[in-house]
Amino acid sequence: MVRRVRLAAAGLGLLMLLACGEPAPESESPAAEILVARTAGLTFLQRDRLDEARREFTRLIELAPEEAIGYTNLGLVHLRGGDLTEAERAVRRALEIEPENPDVRLILARIYEVDGRVEEARGELEEVARRDPEHVRTLYALAELFGRSGTAEGRRRRAEYLRQVVALEPANGAARLQLAETLLRGGEADAATAQLEELRQQAPTFP
């Protein structure tokens, strides 16, 4: 796969060279290498080929050490592989570069949760939600985190965050269905029915 991606990148460079009639600037070469490393790494990660993904993201860091993306993706590889210490180290390095990036903080919260540090995970997510109240992935992560608590308070907070998700994305059928289920489990049958009716209106064939 990497070889095919590199060949495609080389072909693109050759095409540009022929079209322009002069050599491409040297600055384009590192950019192409960065693109290849990132694309190959994400492909390997998606296929759960972690060693190869780790190699590509390490190369990406070498090519662009001042960009957060390489460290973030390397953290995901370590998280997928169960090495939480290395995952946290990589993600914290990414946060040194982009301290306000909510997606990176979302990954850090997930590392905390997997490591059993649920309070730290919740605190991280709540801080992101405070700074960026419309960051849907964070709101959904909070809903899931509270939902896993198995308590009445957890269900209430889950419903609260799912309501925010649905308010921001009214067409998000999955979130609306989960909200209806949460409300029903909490004894709020009328509210659950209202959510299902809204879902039915969005998709008339919904049973």
Side-chain angles (χ1 to χ4, degrees), residues 32-102:
E33 289 188 68
I34 289 170
L35 178 61
V36 169
R38 180 183 178 187
T39 303
L42 290 173
T43 301
F44 287 135
L45 181 59
Q46 185 178 21
R47 296 179 179 180
D48 211 33
R49 294 164 62 176
L50 300 184
D51 288 340
E52 291 149 302
R54 185 182 300 109
R55 183 187 66 233
E56 292 299 329
F57 291 137
T58 299
R59 179 165 167 263
L60 179 57
I61 290 171
E62 292 171 353
L63 291 167
E66 298 307 315
E67 294 187 16
I69 186 67
Y71 301 99
T72 302
N73 287 328
L74 183 61
L76 282 173
V77 172
H78 289 305
L79 176 59
R80 182 79 64 85
D83 190 342
L84 301 182
T85 299
E86 287 301 318
E88 183 173 347
R89 180 178 291 116
V91 171
R92 287 194 177 281
R93 178 68 185 97
L95 285 174
E96 289 176 7
I97 299 170
E98 295 185 15
E100 303 300 321
N101 190 318

